[in-house]
Amino acid sequence: MRVEFNFEFGIYNGSMSVLIKQGDHKLFESIDNIQKNLVAVIDLVSHGTLTIQLDGKNNNSDTEVDSQGNIVADKYVRLQNLIVGRVPVSHANLYNLCRYTTITGTQVNDTYWGWNGEVCVNFDQTNPVLWHAHNNPKHVIG
Amino acid sequence: MAPAVLKAVAEKEGHQSWGLDLNIDFVNQIEYYPQKSEITNYLMNQVWPSTAVFEYLSDIIDQFINRVLALNPDVVGLSLLTYQSQIFTYWFTSRLKDVKPDIQIIIGGSGIKKFIADNNNSYCEDLKQLGLIDHYIMGDGELALVEYLRGNLSYNGIDTNTWIQATNQQLESHPYPKYEDYNFDLYRKKEIPIVDSRGCVRTCEFCDIIEHWTKFAFRSGESIFDEMLVQSKKYGIRHFYFKDSLINGNMKVFTRLVELIAEHNRASAEEEKFSWQAYFIIRNSKQHPESLFELIKESRGDLELGIESVIRNVRWGMGKKFENEDIDWHLEMGQKYQIPLSLLLIIAYPTETLADWEFTKQWFKDRVQYGQNPVYQVQLNWASILPNTTLERKNKEYGFEIGKFPSIWFDTNFKITTQMKIDYINELNDVCKPFFAGDLHHILKEFQASAMNVVTSYSEDL
């Protein structure tokens, strides 16, 4: 099953690394990416959770904050789109699908990843129609 | 019939091809499925079904894909009859590209847009952008498919919102559809569809056909009859259904056709005789003399008459310029020659008044003697404002506002409410009871009930 991740990278002091794995099997890796947008296409042959490992962020030096406390530059990764079997996941569902555990142990559902850690996405099916039936409910076509 | 048409076109170009009617398999398969309404509601209105229903739908998709891939094609062409095929096609192409990513998928047919004359081709563009399809064909596929197969992807009609309509000569030279891959036992009625023309000779303001096929193109009577002979020999079916807007657009062609069929019937044993059904426009008795009805009788024609309104002024305003006496002439001739007639009527047209409704009911009461013979059906169709029609463009002049769907529109003067229209269709339905044969009345009731549900649900939109 074709799975496409569309990432947006926040580049500040370089970029975070992204490693996508299924169990111990490495499916995609990006280190020192310099592009703002990056597409990872994976051919998923067996079902099981995909883990996205995020690394390379130094929380002391990789975020710039102005005098009012606003973030003006940041090293981060954002999942803009997830396309499964060439069918996009709606943004509401995408948010719920991404279980993000930061290195500090905080668990949230989010598509903006500004801490080192890992994100788990459930792929309990390798048939895209069934996957969407279970994971992308109320997907509107057109 | 599109798969059979396109199979013939591809074979003429030297390609091995198969024409599968997946629609009939789908319709038959879900017929007795307990959650059928959930499936149809999803495919038509995108009301998300339960996971179990989605899994059932996914099973059907896999069955169909296995059937298609067993033939090992390089190209899969999907012809969508109406927009109601769009959701299924979306998931079908996702799964097909998943199983065989290098397969070429093209889509076409009037269902690639929501309505035939709609200018919006976003469905096709979205699918193409997602990589679910490789190309789409706009308009008639007979010409564009040939160009696609020859690699001419810049042809006007491939991946464009415009297209080129076939001329009379091109219509005549199209190969006859090949139904070898069809199982006619799966259909309620065994009949061979035939395309005899495209477009229309009239310019009715409510009609979107004339916006799509802007010129009337037609085949000769000889060519149509030859197709009937060839197809009847090949498939052993002698009933034909003409698929276009009218069979009698060109009177010379039509008269020749019914002469040929009548000659064939006179010379044939009962089981070899042809019969046919077609949409038919009304003309006056000079243009449709009694001798024509004799030929229709001998050729065993069954006519669907586009009356649309029995109110003379309303009908002329629509663009249907014939007199009420002409309708009566057809009823009289139909009865005399026992020609089955089905009357098409548009209910609660925007220009109709309450007095017109009373007149319409009385009109049917006064013609009850035509019930069953020749009129076996009155098709009461809810007035719809179709996109990109003259009627839609006249919304201010006629005083209506369009809702979410073509059937949902509102009288902006508030003289006629949706409830009044619903009551009227019920009353007219009762008045027309003597005209229905068998269980057609029951079927119509079901249709109306569903139409009313839609109207009631969306009447809040205003």
Side-chain angles (χ1 to χ4, degrees):
Chain A
M1 180 167 72
R2 187 181 194 277
V3 179
E4 181 181 320
F5 292 90
N6 295 350
F7 295 117
E8 176 192 279
F9 279 75
I11 299 175
Y12 183 67
N13 296 332
S15 62
M16 289 177 79
S17 66
V18 171
L19 172 65
I20 305 177
K21 295 196 310 181
Q22 190 178 35
D24 294 331
H25 187 49
K26 192 191 288 186
L27 298 167
F28 175 86
E29 187 167 28
S30 166
I31 301 169
D32 298 330
N33 168 52
I34 54 167
Q35 308 287 334
K36 186 165 175 61
N37 295 298
L38 186 73
V39 176
V41 178
I42 289 163
D43 182 21
L44 201 63
V45 290
S46 59
H47 63 86
T49 301
L50 285 189
T51 306
I52 304 167
Q53 288 186 350
L54 303 151
D55 206 354
K57 173 81 179 262
N58 181 331
N59 286 90
N60 296 321
S61 59
D62 292 343
T63 303
E64 187 182 329
V65 181
D66 66 12
S67 55
Q68 272 78 44
N70 301 312
I71 295 173
V72 291
D74 194 16
K75 187 188 280 189
Y76 69 89
V77 175
R78 184 202 303 269
L79 181 61
Q80 288 184 307
N81 283 304
L82 173 62
I83 301 170
V84 178
R86 298 169 200 267
V87 171
V89 175
S90 73
H91 282 96
N93 289 326
L94 183 58
Y95 185 84
N96 291 327
L97 278 167
C98 296
R99 191 77 183 138
Y100 176 34
T101 307
T102 68
I103 199 162
T104 58
T106 306
Q107 283 199 337
V108 286
N109 282 88
D110 207 342
T111 55
Y112 183 94
W113 309 323
W115 293 72
N116 294 335
E118 64 177 35
V119 180
C120 292
V121 185
N122 175 30
F123 282 91
D124 52 354
Q125 305 279 343
T126 53
N127 172 335
V129 180
L130 290 175
W131 187 88
H132 284 280
H134 288 109
N135 298 290
N136 189 21
K138 299 187 179 173
H139 170 63
V140 177
I141 296 166
Chain B
M1 70 182 297
V5 169
L6 300 175
K7 172 189 171 78
V9 168
E11 287 190 354
K12 193 180 174 189
E13 282 295 297
H15 297 270
Q16 188 182 14
S17 66
W18 298 267
L20 309 178
D21 184 357
L22 299 179
N23 273 339
I24 193 68
D25 288 330
F26 184 78
V27 167
N28 288 341
Q29 195 155 336
I30 67 166
E31 181 62 28
Y32 299 107
Y33 180 60
Q35 281 82 41
K36 179 187 170 184
S37 61
E38 258 192 84
I39 290 188
T40 53
N41 210 10
Y42 175 56
L43 297 181
M44 290 166 75
N45 305 314
Q46 291 208 54
V47 176
W48 193 263
S50 65
T51 305
V53 168
F54 218 112
E55 285 170 350
Y56 176 78
L57 192 62
S58 171
D59 280 348
I60 296 178
I61 288 171
D62 277 359
Q63 275 176 40
F64 288 179
I65 283 174
N66 289 338
R67 272 185 68 192
V68 169
L69 292 183
L71 303 167
N72 198 26
D74 303 312
V75 179
V76 171
L78 300 167
S79 177
L80 283 65
L81 181 62
T82 69
Y83 80 91
Q84 293 157 353
S85 300
Q86 289 186 357
I87 305 299
F88 187 90
T89 300
Y90 188 87
W91 294 116
F92 182 86
T93 53
S94 170
R95 183 63 168 148
L96 184 55
K97 281 281 186 185
D98 180 56
V99 177
K100 201 167 183 208
D102 59 341
I103 205 160
Q104 284 273 308
I105 303 179
I106 52 173
I107 61 169
S110 50
I112 59 174
K113 294 192 286 186
K114 208 146 199 180
F115 299 95
I116 197 164
D118 203 339
N119 285 327
N120 185 347
N121 65 341
S122 60
Y123 174 76
C124 309
E125 284 294 332
D126 286 351
L127 262 64
K128 193 161 180 278
Q129 201 173 354
L130 290 168
L132 293 170
I133 61 167
D134 296 283
H135 301 286
Y136 61 89
I137 286 177
M138 197 60 73
D140 296 341
E142 293 94 329
L143 298 176
L145 182 66
V146 169
E147 298 302 324
Y148 169 80
L149 293 170
R150 291 175 183 173
N152 180 14
L153 298 180
S154 59
Y155 183 75
N156 185 2
I158 300 175
D159 301 332
T160 61
N161 209 5
T162 55
W163 60 287
I164 301 166
Q165 192 184 333
T167 61
N168 291 352
Q169 290 73 26
Q170 286 169 324
L171 265 188
E172 190 113 352
S173 64
H174 288 333
Y176 299 156
K178 292 190 163 188
Y179 295 98
E180 282 88 332
D181 306 315
Y182 280 49
N183 178 359
F184 283 105
D185 291 334
L186 297 177
Y187 299 81
R188 275 187 194 163
K189 196 171 179 182
K190 281 192 187 179
E191 60 189 12
I192 303 269
I194 291 192
V195 170
D196 60 292
S197 65
R198 291 293 196 202
C200 189
V201 291
R202 289 203 168 135
T203 51
C204 302
E205 64 181 8
F206 58 82
C207 179
D208 57 356
I209 292 292
I210 53 171
E211 306 287 343
H212 182 70
W213 286 289
T214 53
K215 289 177 189 162
F216 180 65
F218 56 91
R219 295 166 59 189
S220 67
E222 285 80 3
S223 157
I224 301 164
F225 181 67
D226 185 63
E227 182 176 338
M228 294 169 87
L229 281 177
V230 169
Q231 302 292 42
S232 67
K233 262 188 200 155
K234 223 169 167 183
Y235 306 109
I237 295 171
R238 288 165 194 86
H239 183 69
F240 300 89
Y241 186 71
F242 291 96
K243 298 293 285 181
D244 300 301
S245 300
L246 73 174
I247 194 171
N248 58 333
N250 181 313
M251 281 308 296
K252 200 175 158 189
V253 166
F254 176 66
T255 307
R256 182 65 187 138
L257 175 63
V258 282
E259 277 171 3
L260 288 167
I261 303 171
E263 273 171 33
H264 168 88
N265 283 353
R266 280 195 290 270
S268 303
E270 180 60 28
E271 64 275 14
E272 297 294 322
K273 290 184 196 296
F274 289 168
S275 59
W276 55 273
Q277 188 175 5
Y279 290 104
F280 193 82
I281 56 170
I282 291 178
R283 292 192 176 94
N284 63 41
S285 58
K286 276 188 188 160
Q287 293 166 300
H288 287 176
E290 185 162 351
S291 58
L292 184 74
F293 290 95
E294 283 184 68
L295 283 171
I296 294 171
K297 164 73 176 167
E298 285 187 284
S299 65
R300 300 197 172 187
D302 176 332
L303 309 179
E304 295 186 68
L305 295 182
I307 292 175
E308 313 310 355
S309 175
V310 296
I311 315 297
R312 196 251 185 210
N313 291 344
V314 171
R315 194 174 60 245
W316 277 60
M318 289 173 173
K320 298 187 93 68
K321 295 187 171 150
F322 52 85
E323 303 295 340
N324 276 19
E325 297 78 64
D326 302 330
I327 304 174
D328 286 328
W329 170 246
H330 285 69
L331 294 176
E332 193 187 319
M333 288 295 102
Q335 189 166 62
K336 183 171 180 182
Y337 291 100
Q338 294 181 303
I339 299 165
L341 300 179
S342 173
L343 310 186
L344 306 174
L345 214 70
I346 298 175
I347 303 302
Y349 196 72
T351 54
E352 280 185 357
T353 63
L354 295 177
D356 292 334
W357 292 2
E358 291 307 311
F359 182 93
T360 302
K361 285 185 276 182
Q362 192 57 46
W363 190 92
F364 278 98
K365 285 176 189 168
D366 293 343
R367 282 155 186 80
V368 73
Q369 72 272 23
Y370 295 115
Q372 312 300 319
N373 175 27
V375 180
Y376 66 96
Q377 188 181 15
V378 180
Q379 297 182 44
L380 304 176
N381 300 303
W382 191 272
S384 293
I385 319 292
L386 296 170
N388 204 18
T389 56
T390 304
L391 181 57
E392 185 195 48
R393 293 186 282 271
K394 282 184 170 176
N395 64 326
K396 285 202 172 71
E397 183 186 333
Y398 287 172
F400 60 80
E401 194 170 310
I402 302 163
K404 273 187 183 173
F405 301 108
S407 55
I408 314 298
W409 54 271
F410 306 94
D411 173 10
T412 48
N413 302 318
F414 296 99
K415 285 179 188 156
I416 295 177
T417 64
T418 302
Q419 188 55 51
M420 287 161 83
K421 287 192 259 184
I422 290 171
D423 292 343
Y424 170 52
I425 199 168
N426 270 327
E427 287 165 21
L428 190 58
N429 192 45
D430 286 341
V431 168
C432 289
K433 268 181 188 168
F435 295 91
F436 290 97
D439 60 355
L440 286 169
H441 182 242
H442 172 67
I443 292 165
L444 185 76
K445 271 280 196 194
E446 279 183 10
F447 167 77
Q448 284 172 345
S450 104
M452 282 172 211
N453 282 341
V454 172
V455 171
T456 311
S457 312
Y458 288 95
S459 58
E460 295 160 6
D461 283 359
L462 186 61

